[in-house]
Amino acid sequence: MKAKLKCNPEALPDRGLPTKDIHVKQDLPDLPITVIPRAKPSKQKNPKKQKIFFPERKDLWTQENDKELMRRYWAGESYENIGKAIGRTARAVKIRANAIRSEQGKRPRRVGKSMFWQENEDKILIEMFEAGSSYKAIAEKLGRTYMAIATRIKVLRDMGTRIERK
C-alpha cells in the first residue's frame, strides 16, 4: 500500500543534496508557526508541608537550655517532654543531647534493660557470682535478664577478669 502525498512534490523548493549544515537557517523554508494554548493550565506541584512546632526558636542554645536539657535527660524524661518544656522539637533535643554527651565523653543513658554495663554493676555481678548466687538471683538484683548475666560473665572472663565460684 502506497501513501498518497497531499501536496505536489514539484511545488516544494529544491534544496539540493542534504548537507551537514542542514541546521543553518537559510537552508530551511520559512514556515508559519501556530501556538495552540493548553486547555487547562498545568498544576503546580504541592510544596512540602513543613512542620514548624516552635517558629520563634531560631536562636542558638543557651547554657541555661543546655543545663535544663541535660538535667531532664539524665532524669530519664522523653525527648518530646523535654522539648515541650524548653520550647524545642524532640529531634532538636535529641541532636543537642547527643552533641553534649559526645563533648563530655559520656555514654548514653541506660534505657530499659539493655545498653551498657556500669562498673558498679560489674562489681555486684562478680561478688554475687563468687558468693554462689544463681544467675536468676543476680538478674533480679541488677534488673537484667538471665541471658544478660550469663553473657556478661563470659565477656568479663574473655577480657581477662578472673571469676570463679567459691
Side-chain angles (χ1 to χ4, degrees), residues 12-155:
L12 294 174
D14 183 29
R15 290 190 221 148
L17 295 174
T19 64
K20 292 183 181 178
D21 299 330
I22 194 87
H23 65 279
V24 178
K25 187 177 180 181
Q26 64 190 6
D27 290 344
L28 300 175
D30 293 329
L31 299 173
I33 298 173
T34 307
V35 177
I36 302 171
R38 290 184 176 185
K40 289 184 178 179
S42 62
K43 290 185 179 180
Q44 292 180 351
K45 292 183 178 179
N46 292 336
K48 290 185 178 180
K49 295 180 182 178
Q50 295 179 351
K51 295 181 180 179
I52 300 175
F53 296 104
F54 301 101
E56 69 276 2
R57 299 301 292 208
K58 298 283 183 188
D59 56 340
L60 299 175
W61 288 82
T62 62
Q63 288 183 350
E64 292 80 25
N65 288 25
D66 288 345
K67 287 178 184 176
E68 180 68 13
L69 163 70
M70 294 314 288
R71 184 185 67 76
R72 290 174 178 267
Y73 175 81
W74 289 113
E77 288 188 41
S78 67
Y79 294 123
E80 291 82 15
N81 291 342
I82 298 171
K84 287 177 185 175
I86 62 176
R88 303 279 182 161
T89 62
R91 182 165 186 232
V93 169
K94 182 178 182 179
I95 291 169
R96 185 62 182 166
N98 289 339
I100 292 171
R101 277 189 305 96
S102 65
E103 288 172 7
Q104 297 173 350
K106 293 184 179 177
R107 293 190 266 180
R109 66 179 176 206
R110 183 174 161 195
V111 180
K113 296 178 183 175
S114 61
M115 295 298 276
F116 302 103
W117 283 80
Q118 304 297 322
E119 289 179 27
N120 60 349
E121 290 177 317
D122 284 341
K123 288 179 186 175
I124 294 170
L125 170 70
I126 293 168
E127 289 173 6
M128 289 182 74
F129 183 77
E130 289 180 344
S133 299
S134 66
Y135 285 6
K136 186 176 180 180
I138 299 170
E140 288 174 2
K141 168 86 174 174
L142 296 177
R144 302 275 183 158
T145 62
Y146 176 92
M147 285 305 297
I149 301 301
T151 304
R152 187 61 181 173
I153 289 172
K154 182 181 182 322
V155 168

Side-chain angles (χ1 to χ4, degrees), residues 2-19:
K2 286 189 172 182
K4 292 185 180 179
L5 293 175
K6 291 186 178 182
C7 64
N8 187 1
E10 284 84 28
L12 294 174
D14 183 29
R15 290 190 221 148
L17 295 174
T19 64

